[in-house]
């Protein structure tokens, strides 16, 4: 008898493909396996879902208001329940792999092989009707809709339902990996783009360009299949990638980076970068990682609805602001965690500095000068929105003076911009250069935490943190100063909820919380697995707006180390 393989739209096939990609180190082989799989997905909907999952996201950017929001502790409980396992068993597998999805695969496989009957019929016999990609996506969608009281219980129930339909342990693994943003199958976005190009016989340059604008590889894959890459374009209510700035160390060095004089110089605001989209009266705000953050700032949404103009995309920065002055960045971060709801406690202002789209036209290719003229001709309805402070400058002296002014007023420095430059999504080019004049900081992720001493007994106030190196995390230091009591109390709660292993005084936690740390120097050290340690590290702030994908890497650590005049 011929054993039929899984149909292309089955989630089983997706899981097997991911395993095959992970199993080979050859880039060419990875691209080959993936492109064949993508080409085999004849339904556009399936193609979009598979590519979205492969890009490490649960949903295509901008299409869903709330993320699925399934925490480690929820998954852990479900896994313990459906596999009838004790915490220590799951912990052992977790430590072996470092991700919960792979741990679950092993737990299930072990339970099956020991056939102790405790798996509550977890894995169906083969050839039964199996889960499809769209069914998995549908479950994820339902998870995202489950909010409010008892939502965690409901989510656990939905997850149990989802897991009861798998036919291979690897499917359970990838469900968890997708939900926890831990795909880690050795597939960076570049390779995914190459596979899409190969699957549909397009050039990698065309795919990349479309993806920079659309910021949604799933959508780009469909366009590629139908020969419609040229239709990749901006559209209000769908996020695009943000243009990034280069660094200038001094006013003189910054000035030399520009080809033509004068330039526009603007205050650098210390807040949350955000696109504001408006179409047919609807408003959406997207943060740097393309998450929909509209619900956190209802007063800005309401204010933007009052703008006469419609069909537009602004680029700007949301800052904490009151009585003509910037307030602490921490207040704003606490609004992202919904700790502060009230616009009274943490009032904001949206500082607009660019216009990417207006009334049916993309302005990406227009020179900055023209975009500025257009955006500043619009009337803003209330104090909740304003334009960034902007001036023409033509010498290092003028830049220095404006820099001091910006710092004196409580802003972060300057961003200087070329008048003739286009807006290049996702690129860090020489057309925008920032001047901060401070010791470098590192964005790191917390991987372990300890209880404090003295007045900090009972709260988790010591954080061990890491930077990335390829797919790995390398520890570079430990810090306990810089946070307020309120922030430490928030962190204590988060650390407890993301604990992977509790050793009493110390907890290994899921790498999730991003910190920005300042330090006096970087030294070589065998204390940590990175081979480096930060000297006198202090936490500048918690970055709830950043995710683990955006932390700094070992390259940057080494670069700062090399640049130090005195090596320690
Ligand atoms: P950094 O985060 O240090 O790499 O600096 C770049 C960031 O500065 C941008 O991503 C924006 O969030 C922020 N920023 C603040 N003010 C401006 C401005 N006037 N123009 C451009 N970016 C700005």
């Amino acid at each position: 008898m011929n054993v039929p393989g899984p149909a292309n739209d089955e989630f089983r096939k997706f899981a097997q493909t991911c395993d095959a990609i992970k199993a080979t180190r050859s880039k060419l082989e990875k691209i080959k396996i993936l492109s064949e799989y993508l080409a085999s997905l004849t339904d556009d909907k399936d193609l979009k879902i598979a590519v979205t999952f492969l890009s490490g996201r649960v949903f295509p950017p901008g299409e869903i208001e709330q993320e699925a929001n399934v925490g480690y502790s929820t998954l852990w409980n479900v896994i313990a329940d459906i596999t009838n396992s004790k915490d220590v068993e799951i912990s052992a597998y977790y430590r072996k792999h470092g991700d919960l999805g792979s741990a679950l695969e092993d737990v299930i496989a072990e339970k099956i092989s020991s056939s102790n009957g405790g798996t509550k019929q977890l894995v169906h016999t083969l050839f039964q009707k199996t889960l499809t990609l769209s069914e998995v996506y549908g479950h994820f969608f339902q998870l995202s809709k489950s909010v409010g009281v008892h939502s965690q219980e409901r989510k656990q129930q939905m997850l149990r339902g989802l897991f009861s339909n798998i036919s291979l342990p690897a499917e359970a693994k990838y469900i968890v990996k997708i939900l926890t943003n831990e795909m880690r199958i050795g597939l960076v976005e570049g390779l995914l783009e190459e596979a899409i190009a190969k699957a549909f016989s397009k050039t990698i340059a065309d795919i990349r360009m479309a993806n920079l604008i659309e910021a949604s590889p799933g959508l780009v894959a469909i366009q590629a299949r139908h020969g419609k890459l040229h239709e990749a374009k901006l559209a209000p209510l769908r996020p695009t990638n943000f243009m990034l700035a280069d660094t200038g160390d001094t006013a003189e060095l910054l000035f030399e980076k520009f080809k033509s004089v004068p330039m526009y110089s603007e205050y650098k605001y210390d807040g949350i970068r955000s696109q504001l989209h408006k179409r047919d009266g609807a408003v959406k705000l997207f943060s740097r990682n393309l998450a929909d953050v509209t619900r956190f700032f209802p007063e800005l949404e309401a204010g933007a609805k009052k703008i006469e103009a419609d069909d537009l995309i602004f680029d700007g920065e949301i800052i904490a602001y009151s009585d003509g002055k910037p307030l602490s960045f921490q207040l704003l971060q606490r609004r992202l965690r919904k700790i502060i709801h009230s616009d009274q406690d943490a009032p904001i202002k949206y500082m607009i500095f660019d216009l990417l789209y207006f009334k049916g036209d993309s302005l990406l290719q227009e020179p900055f000068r023209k975009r500025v003229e257009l955006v500043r001709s619009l009337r803003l309805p209330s104090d909740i929105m304003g334009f960034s402070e902007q001036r023409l400058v033509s010498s290092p002296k003028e830049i220095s003076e404006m820099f001091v002014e910006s710092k004196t007023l409580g802003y972060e420095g300057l961003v200087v911009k070329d008048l003739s430059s286009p807006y290049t999504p996702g690129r860090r080019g020489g057309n925008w250069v920032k001047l901060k004049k401070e010791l470098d900081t590192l964005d790191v992720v917390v991987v372990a935490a300890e209880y404090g001493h003295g007045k900090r007994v009972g709260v988790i106030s010591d954080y061990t943190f890491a930077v990335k190196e390829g797919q790995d995390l390398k520890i570079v230091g430990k810090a306990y100063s810089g946070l307020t009591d309120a922030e430490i109390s928030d962190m204590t709660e988060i650390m407890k909820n993301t604990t992977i292993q509790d050793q009493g005084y110390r907890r290994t936690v899921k790498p999730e919380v991003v910190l920005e740390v300042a330090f006096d120097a970087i030294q070589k050290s065998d204390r940590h697995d990175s081979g480096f340690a930060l000297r006198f590290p202090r936490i500048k702030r918690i970055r709830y707006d950043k995710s683990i994908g955006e932390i700094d890497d070992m390259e940057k650590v080494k670069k700062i180390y090399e640049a130090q005049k005195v090596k320690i």
Side-chain angles (χ1 to χ4, degrees):
M1 190 182 91
N2 263 344
V3 179
N8 295 330
D9 66 341
E10 285 178 6
F11 191 65
R12 190 149 58 112
K13 180 87 180 269
F14 174 86
Q16 288 168 333
T17 306
C18 290
D19 272 350
I21 293 168
K22 177 143 198 244
T24 172
R25 300 187 71 175
S26 152
K27 277 188 189 176
L28 285 179
E29 188 60 21
K30 283 180 198 278
I31 293 170
K32 178 169 179 289
I33 296 167
L34 187 51
S35 61
E36 283 168 8
Y37 172 63
L38 296 180
S40 79
L41 293 168
T42 43
D43 186 321
D44 283 351
K45 240 173 49 204
D46 291 329
L47 178 64
K48 187 168 170 188
I49 294 170
V51 172
T52 303
F53 289 169
L54 285 158
S55 73
R57 288 183 177 265
V58 184
F59 304 117
E63 292 192 15
I64 296 287
E65 240 168 72
Q66 298 259 12
E67 286 300 312
N69 271 336
V70 180
Y72 245 52
S73 53
T74 304
L75 282 164
W76 195 283
N77 288 340
V78 173
I79 291 171
D81 181 34
I82 58 173
T83 63
N84 219 355
S85 301
K86 297 203 176 59
D87 279 355
V88 284
E89 293 176 82
I90 307 174
S91 282
Y93 283 116
Y94 181 83
R95 280 200 302 281
K96 179 171 151 208
H97 295 286
D99 78 72
L100 199 52
S102 304
L104 173 58
E105 181 185 37
D106 275 7
V107 175
I108 298 177
E110 196 223 76
K111 296 281 167 172
I112 295 171
S113 71
S114 66
S115 57
N116 65 359
T119 51
K120 293 194 181 165
Q121 278 195 325
L122 227 193
V123 178
H124 283 236
T125 39
L126 289 170
F127 319 125
Q128 254 178 317
K129 183 193 166 307
T130 45
L131 265 180
T132 61
L133 281 164
S134 51
E135 280 165 347
V136 173
Y137 186 85
H139 273 86
F140 290 169
F141 183 70
Q142 290 309 322
L143 286 169
S144 81
K145 289 274 159 211
S146 171
V147 288
V149 251
H150 303 308
S151 63
Q152 288 311 313
E153 284 93 329
R154 281 202 303 278
K155 283 184 183 189
Q156 292 194 13
Q157 207 167 0
M158 289 176 196
L159 286 165
R160 277 193 289 268
L162 177 56
F163 287 130
S164 71
N165 281 313
I166 60 162
S167 59
L168 274 186
E171 287 175 78
K173 169 173 70 180
Y174 286 107
I175 287 170
V176 173
K177 275 174 164 284
I178 294 165
L179 285 172
T180 54
N181 306 115
E182 292 177 326
M183 279 299 276
R184 292 207 223 123
I185 53 168
L187 189 74
V188 290
E189 185 132 328
L191 285 190
L192 178 57
E193 288 171 340
E194 285 193 48
I196 298 172
K198 190 168 157 71
F200 306 114
S201 313
K202 296 287 175 288
T203 67
I204 176 70
D206 284 352
I207 299 287
R208 217 155 263 171
M209 181 47 79
N211 199 23
L212 280 172
I213 294 174
E214 298 274 9
S216 174
L219 215 59
V220 170
I222 296 178
Q223 288 168 342
R225 162 181 284 159
H226 296 290
K228 293 190 168 164
L229 282 175
H230 58 279
E231 289 181 11
K233 57 177 184 294
L234 286 187
L237 309 186
R238 265 203 354 241
T240 186
N241 285 298
F242 288 81
M243 179 161 173
L244 304 169
D246 221 346
T247 307
D249 289 328
T250 62
E252 287 77 19
L253 290 173
L254 177 147
F255 188 76
E256 281 168 18
K257 292 196 179 215
F258 287 85
K259 288 179 253 24
S260 58
V261 180
M263 303 85 102
Y264 273 130
S265 177
E266 300 180 12
Y267 288 170
K268 183 171 190 306
Y269 298 97
D270 193 10
I272 295 170
R273 179 83 176 268
S274 183
Q275 277 163 27
L276 191 153
H277 293 230
K278 184 168 181 234
R279 172 168 269 181
D280 298 333
V283 169
K284 271 191 189 296
L285 289 161
F286 296 105
S287 67
R288 225 169 106 151
N289 55 6
L290 311 178
D292 186 335
V293 292
T294 322
R295 66 190 181 283
F296 299 113
F297 305 105
E299 72 274 41
L300 177 54
E301 182 186 7
K305 283 188 176 163
K306 292 193 206 128
I307 311 175
E308 263 168 54
D310 198 65
D311 211 24
L312 54 81
I313 304 176
F314 290 134
D315 188 3
E317 190 97 354
I318 302 173
I319 57 171
Y321 189 89
S322 157
D323 291 334
K325 287 197 208 82
L327 303 174
S328 145
F329 179 79
Q330 312 295 352
L331 282 175
L332 201 59
Q333 291 284 308
R334 285 167 69 79
R335 279 192 63 166
L336 277 187
R337 288 207 64 230
K338 289 204 273 189
I339 293 164
I340 298 180
H341 290 273
S342 150
D343 49 346
Q344 307 261 304
D345 292 335
I348 55 158
K349 182 157 184 162
Y350 183 56
M351 295 298 192
I352 300 170
F353 46 70
D354 218 318
L355 181 65
L356 313 191
Y357 183 98
F358 192 55
K359 291 193 175 158
D361 291 321
S362 163
L363 305 177
L364 296 183
Q365 294 307 322
E366 298 293 339
F368 184 50
R369 185 198 300 111
K370 199 159 162 209
R371 303 200 303 275
V372 166
E373 255 167 45
L374 196 52
V375 73
R376 284 171 196 248
S377 72
L378 298 179
R379 272 197 305 151
L380 302 178
S382 66
D383 284 350
I384 191 98
M385 307 169 92
F387 296 115
S388 60
E389 177 66 25
Q390 185 186 63
R391 243 166 272 163
L392 283 170
V393 289
S394 357
S395 69
K397 184 166 170 282
E398 281 174 303
I399 295 171
S400 283
E401 282 166 4
M402 188 167 168
F403 178 81
V404 173
E405 178 188 297
S406 151
K407 285 289 218 189
T408 313
L409 291 173
Y411 299 111
E412 238 200 332
L414 300 178
V415 184
V416 181
K417 303 178 180 180
D418 186 310
L419 262 61
S420 60
S421 59
Y423 188 99
T424 47
R427 299 238 168 102
R428 199 181 289 283
N431 288 325
W432 287 13
V433 187
K434 65 192 173 198
L435 184 61
K436 291 212 285 193
K437 230 192 247 170
E438 246 183 29
L439 267 185
D440 248 313
T441 57
L442 283 175
D443 287 337
V444 298
V445 72
V446 179
V447 292
E450 287 169 37
Y451 281 92
H453 307 281
K455 89 176 183 32
R456 295 204 166 153
V457 70
V459 287
I460 301 178
S461 60
D462 268 25
Y463 314 105
T464 300
F465 48 78
V467 295
K468 64 183 169 191
E469 183 170 53
Q471 306 265 315
D472 295 332
L473 292 174
K474 297 281 181 205
I475 294 175
V476 289
K478 204 172 137 179
Y480 50 86
S481 70
L483 296 185
T484 62
D485 287 347
E487 286 169 330
I488 292 173
S489 142
D490 295 347
M491 282 291 277
T492 302
E493 190 195 320
I494 301 173
M495 295 296 113
K496 285 184 179 166
N497 285 334
T498 53
T499 297
I500 291 158
Q501 204 195 2
D502 185 353
Q503 298 143 294
Y505 77 102
R506 185 177 196 269
R507 285 160 184 258
T508 309
V509 295
K510 182 181 176 224
E512 213 170 66
V513 178
V514 176
L515 300 178
E516 185 178 340
V517 290
F519 45 88
D520 287 358
I522 293 181
Q523 57 195 70
K524 288 224 163 169
S525 157
D526 52 16
R527 201 178 331 146
H528 307 305
D529 59 2
S530 63
F532 290 95
L534 305 190
R535 220 167 113 90
F536 300 123
R538 50 209 177 261
I539 303 165
K540 275 200 77 179
R541 52 204 180 175
I542 309 173
R543 300 295 307 248
Y544 293 122
D545 59 322
K546 288 202 170 179
S547 45
I548 181 170
E550 295 169 275
I551 63 171
D552 285 312
D553 55 15
M554 281 302 294
E555 290 271 293
K556 179 156 178 198
V557 171
K558 288 178 192 159
K559 219 163 118 190
I560 298 174
Y561 175 78
E562 291 303 329
Q564 286 168 180
K565 296 216 167 52
V566 185
K567 304 235 182 333
I568 307 164

